[in-house]
Each structure stands twice: as structure tokens, then as C-alpha cells.
């Protein structure tokens, strides 16, 4: 429930009127969360001027006195994590679809608690004399980077009526035209994308530099890898700067894969030993196959709102061919709280080049710890470094605690702008 009445901002001769209407509503949770649709009752109070003149631009307020569903018994929703948007229909003397939006402001909502949605506001420029009715229609609740869409399942009665008289020009200082543009709930939920980082560390050594030099440590270049991730809450697009380094160990190499900008915030408390990342390093050039690298599980409880980083992923590469071999980031898999998110590169680039010597039971031919890339492209002349600009900064790998939450699944969000690990 909300505290306080919504204020009328429009400049009109008539006083504000507020009327409540209730209507049956079906809410559809985000795709892939495994939760059923919810049928409930929405109660809305619309505040608008009782009278106005043609040419006036009036402000209207949509106040939720009851949302169609409660917060499921899954997680607590943090404060200021929920934002509503919707459409208010004008009919009668003129017709319009008024875009309504509320701020991302809410108290912390406990498991099973009533959903508390902020007041939504919009404007309407009056163009014809007569009576204009205002009727609430569909709305969207954006929470934890996911959308739940709610729509009436029965005819809805008008919640307010404006009596519009003929007039000469607008008496309002607001220049907005009617109807307002359709709301886009995602624009306030998504953080601004930072620019792609340049490569950190030295580029990988060439074959001539590597051969015969006695070098044992090899530093790869940072490459931006655009991923398509299949998660419990559906498909997500993500881009991450990744670097592959190697240390010679006899005829083999110890690999370390670093995610340079993969800082994520947890919306829930996660117990220790519940998050496990793995990745396939794709071989190209003289060698073929892939090598599995993995990181440790989290050693401590991760508190709600705390930052999480993907740890260094480590593995061993035993060359299966003699010549110049390349190593590129491949499929990334993250297991958390009994769920799995699989991210496949849309394209990839070589991070490290090595002058290799064939070892018994080496990678070439798919033996040993290596395997086929599982759909990740080989980079011995494979896909170029393209497509990174079409993805957000690695922002949503979709790790979910148990089942998802109806109004916003519990998603780990990769946040841009963090200081890069070195």
C-alpha cells in the first residue's frame, strides 16, 4: 500500500478528482523462470482535473492501491529495485494512449509481502471539447532486470472523467504533446555501457620470439568476447574482456584465464561453495580441440548487494601438434544454487599464440582433457572479433537462486564501470 495521496501537477481551472477502479488481471512472469501465470485483482486510483480547456496539457497520476500479486516466498526484494510503467487510455472526445511511468522507488519487500509500486505519472494534451474518460490498461513491473507483464482480463471501467470546454490556446506551461511515447521499462533498469577496454598486458609472443628464447611465461592480449547466454530466466546477451596467459611446464602449459571486467552484484545471500565457473579454451592454428579451465567455488557467504568477481580460471594444456597454435575464449558455464547458465560466443578472437611441440596424448585429435568446442568457433582462421558492440557489458548471466522470482528473477548482474583487475 502507498502512503500519501498523489499530487496533481497540471494547470487547470477545475479541481483534482481521484477515483478508484478494480479489475481482474493476468500477470505473465519473465520467460524461462518456470513459474505459472498469476490471475489477481489490480486496484488503481487515477487522479486528474475535473475540468479543463482545449489546448491545456494536464498531468494525471496512476496510484496502485493493490497490485495483482504478492512477492512470492523466494527472496526479499531490496529497496528501490522495482519500477512500474503502463498505459492509460483516453476515450470520448479524444482518444490517446497515455504513457505512464513511476520512479524506481519502493521499500524493501519481504518474501510473501504485498507488492508496493510507486505512483506513475503522465501527461495529456487536450485537443477536443467534450468529456474525456481515463481508463487504466496494461502495465509492466520491472524488478531485478526482468519484466513481468500484467494486462486486464475483463473490460475496465473509466477511473476518471475530464470535462473539456472550448478554449483559446494552452494555459499550461508543459509543452508535452499527446499521446506520450510508449514506455520502455528497460531503459532505467540497464546501466550505461562503458567503452570497451584496450588490451592490458603485452600481446602474445610470436613463434620466432618464443622458439629458442627460453621464455616460460606468456601473456595474452585482452579480447572482447560477445556471448549469448542461455539461463534459467531466458536468453541474455553479454560481452566480457578476457585474457589467456600461459606458463610453460615441461612440454605442457599451465593456463590462467582472467575476466578483466566481470564484477557482479548479488541480489540475495548466497552460501559458501555454491558458485562454480568453467570455460573451454578453444585451440586453433596447428592444434585442434579445446581445454577446460575452471575456477574455485566461493569460499565465503556472498551477502546481498555485495560485488562478485569471476575468479581466475585454471587448467593444463598439453599440445597435440607441432607449430604455431592459438588459444581463444570459448563456451563459459556457471553453476550456482543448482542451476546452470551456458554462454556461447557469437564470435571470438585469439588471445594467446604459442609455438608448440606435440606431446604424447596431447590435445590434437580430441584426446586427453581436451574436447570438441561444443559450438564455440575455432580461431585458427575462424571468426573475427566482431559483434561486441551489439551487446551490453557482461551484465546478466542469469544465475538464479532455486526457482526464479515472479516479479524479477534473482539475477547476478555484471556491472560496468568497476576497476579492472590486474
Amino acid at each position: 500500500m502507498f502512503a500519501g495521496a498523489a499530487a496533481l501537477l497540471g494547470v487547470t481551472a477545475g479541481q483534482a478528482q481521484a477515483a478508484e477502479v478494480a479489475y481482474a488481471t493476468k500477470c505473465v512472469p519473465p520467460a524461462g523462470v518456470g513459474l505459472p501465470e498469476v490471475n489477481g485483482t489490480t486496484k488503481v486510483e487515477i487522479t486528474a482535473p475535473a475540468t479543463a480547456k482545449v489546448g491545456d496539457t494536464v498531468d494525471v497520476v496512476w496510484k496502485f492501491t493493490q497490485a495483482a500479486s504478492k512477492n512470492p516466498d523466494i527472496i526479499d526484494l531490496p529497496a528501490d529495485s522495482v519500477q512500474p510503467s503502463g498505459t492509460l487510455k483516453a476515450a470520448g472526445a479524444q482518444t490517446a494512449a497515455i504513457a505512464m511511468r513511476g520512479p524506481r522507488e519502493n521499500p524493501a519487500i519481504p518474501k510473501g509481502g504485498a507488492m508496493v509500486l510507486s505512483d506513475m505519472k503522465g501527461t495529456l494534451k487536450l485537443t477536443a471539447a467534450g468529456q474525456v474518460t481515463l481508463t487504466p490498461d496494461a502495465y509492466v513491473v520491472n524488478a531485478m532486470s526482468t519484466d513481468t507483464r500484467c494486462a486486464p482480463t475483463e473490460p475496465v471501467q473509466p477511473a476518471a472523467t475530464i470535462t473539456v470546454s472550448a478554449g483559446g490556446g494552452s494555459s499550461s506551461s508543459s509543452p508535452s504533446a499527446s499521446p506520450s511515447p510508449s514506455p520502455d521499462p528497460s531503459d532505467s533498469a540497464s546501466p550505461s555501457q562503458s567503452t570497451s577496454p584496450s588490451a592490458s598486458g603485452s600481446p602474445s609472443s610470436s613463434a620466432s620470439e618464443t622458439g629458442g628464447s627460453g621464455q616460460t611465461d606468456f601473456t595474452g592480449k585482452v579480447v572482447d568476447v560477445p556471448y549469448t547466454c542461455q539461463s534459467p530466466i531466458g536468453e541474455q546477451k553479454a560481452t566480457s574482456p578476457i585474457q589467456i596467459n600461459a606458463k610453460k611446464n615441461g612440454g605442457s602449459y599451465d593456463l590462467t584465464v582472467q575476466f578483466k571486467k566481470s564484477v557482479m552484484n548479488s541480489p540475495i545471500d548466497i552460501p559458501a561453495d555454491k558458485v562454480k565457473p568453467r570455460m573451454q579454451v578453444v585451440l586453433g592454428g596447428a592444434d585442434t580441440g579445446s581445454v577446460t579451465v575452471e575456477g574455485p567455488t566461493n569460499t565465503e557467504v556472498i551477502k546481498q548487494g555485495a560485488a562478485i568477481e569471476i575468479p581466475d580460471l585454471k587448467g593444463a594444456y598439453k599440445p597435440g601438434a607441432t607449430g604455431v597454435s592459438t588459444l581463444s575464449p570459448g563456451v563459459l558455464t556457471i553453476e550456482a544454487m543448482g542451476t546452470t547458465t551456458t554462454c556461447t560466443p557469437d564470435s571470438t578472437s585469439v588471445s594467446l599464440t604459442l609455438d608448440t611441440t606435440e606431446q604424447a596424448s596431447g590435445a590434437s585429435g580430441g584426446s586427453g582433457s581436451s574436447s570438441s568446442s561444443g559450438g564455440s568457433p575455432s580461431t585458427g582462421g575462424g571468426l573475427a572479433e566482431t559483434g561486441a558492440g551489439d551487446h551490453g557489458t557482461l551484465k546478466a548471466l542469469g544465475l538464479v537462486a532455486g526457482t526464479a522470482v515472479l516479479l524479477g528473477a534473482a539475477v547476478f548482474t555484471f556491472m560496468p564501470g568497476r576497476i579492472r583487475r590486474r
Side-chain angles (χ1 to χ4, degrees):
M1 300 297 294
F2 292 87
L8 175 67
L9 301 179
V11 181
T12 67
Q15 294 184 346
Q17 58 168 333
E20 184 180 88
V21 64
Y23 55 96
T25 307
K26 178 172 72 175
C27 293
V28 180
V33 302
L35 290 176
E37 298 173 348
V38 171
N39 288 286
T41 300
T42 300
K43 294 182 180 180
V44 171
E45 183 181 277
I46 301 298
T47 302
T51 60
K53 295 183 297 183
V54 172
D56 284 350
T57 296
V58 296
D59 293 320
V60 292
V61 177
W62 170 325
K63 176 187 178 71
F64 288 93
T65 57
Q66 178 180 298
S69 67
K70 295 183 177 181
N71 181 23
D73 295 319
I74 307 296
I75 66 167
D76 298 332
L77 290 175
D80 300 333
S81 64
V82 181
Q83 180 181 40
S85 59
T87 302
L88 185 67
K89 288 185 175 179
Q94 73 180 84
T95 59
I98 307 169
M100 307 293 292
R101 181 183 295 279
R104 193 175 295 278
E105 294 177 358
N106 61 276
I109 304 173
K111 304 178 186 71
M115 289 301 299
V116 181
L117 304 177
S118 62
D119 293 353
M120 301 194 300
K121 297 180 180 181
T123 60
L124 173 66
K125 184 171 184 178
L126 302 172
T127 59
Q131 289 194 328
V132 177
T133 61
L134 302 175
T135 304
D137 195 40
Y139 59 94
V140 176
V141 178
N142 180 271
M144 310 296 287
S145 302
T146 64
D147 289 338
T148 292
R149 301 183 180 275
C150 301
T153 57
E154 64 178 355
V156 183
Q157 296 300 312
T161 301
I162 305 173
T163 300
V164 184
S165 60
S170 172
S171 61
S172 169
S173 60
S174 174
S176 302
S178 172
S180 303
S182 299
D184 180 7
S186 63
D187 61 3
S188 59
S190 300
S192 352
Q193 179 174 341
S194 60
T195 56
S196 297
S198 58
S200 67
S202 305
S204 56
S205 303
S206 66
S208 60
E209 293 172 334
T210 309
S213 67
Q215 185 177 356
T216 58
D217 293 292
F218 306 92
T219 303
K221 67 178 181 179
V222 177
V223 292
D224 287 332
V225 180
Y227 281 109
T228 295
C229 299
Q230 300 299 330
S231 75
I233 63 165
E235 183 177 284
Q236 305 284 339
K237 291 289 187 180
T239 295
S240 179
I242 299 174
Q243 183 179 36
I244 302 174
N245 301 320
K247 183 179 182 65
K248 194 170 179 62
N249 183 0
S252 300
Y253 297 87
D254 295 328
L255 301 182
T256 300
V257 178
Q258 295 179 334
F259 282 73
K260 293 294 184 177
K261 206 174 182 181
S262 297
V263 180
M264 47 187 174
N265 289 341
S266 173
I268 60 171
D269 291 348
I270 301 178
D273 200 34
K274 293 297 183 182
V275 180
K276 178 73 173 179
R278 292 184 179 86
M279 196 183 78
Q280 298 295 315
V281 175
V282 180
L283 306 176
D287 216 342
T288 60
S290 65
V291 177
T292 300
V293 292
E294 59 183 33
T297 57
N298 55 309
T299 57
E300 298 179 352
V301 173
I302 303 170
K303 301 299 292 183
Q304 179 177 326
I308 308 171
E309 293 183 354
I310 291 185
D312 289 351
L313 310 182
K314 296 183 180 293
Y317 166 43
K318 181 183 291 187
T322 298
V324 178
S325 300
T326 60
L327 289 79
S328 307
V331 174
L332 171 68
T333 302
I334 299 180
E335 298 175 357
M337 303 292 290
T339 67
T340 300
T341 293
T342 301
C343 300
T344 303
D346 295 344
S347 62
T348 191
S349 297
V350 172
S351 174
L352 183 63
T353 301
L354 296 171
D355 186 2
T356 58
T357 300
E358 181 179 358
Q359 304 294 308
S361 302
S364 189
S367 58
S369 63
S370 303
S371 63
S372 130
S373 62
S376 179
S378 173
T379 53
L383 297 177
E385 186 175 355
T386 60
D390 297 331
H391 297 67
T393 305
L394 195 51
K395 74 172 186 177
L397 288 183
L399 304 180
V400 178
T403 55
V405 180
L406 172 62
L407 294 177
V411 181
F412 290 105
T413 302
F414 284 72
M415 302 295 292
R418 298 275 184 179
I419 297 175
R420 179 184 299 179
R421 292 191 300 135
R422 299 190 183 278

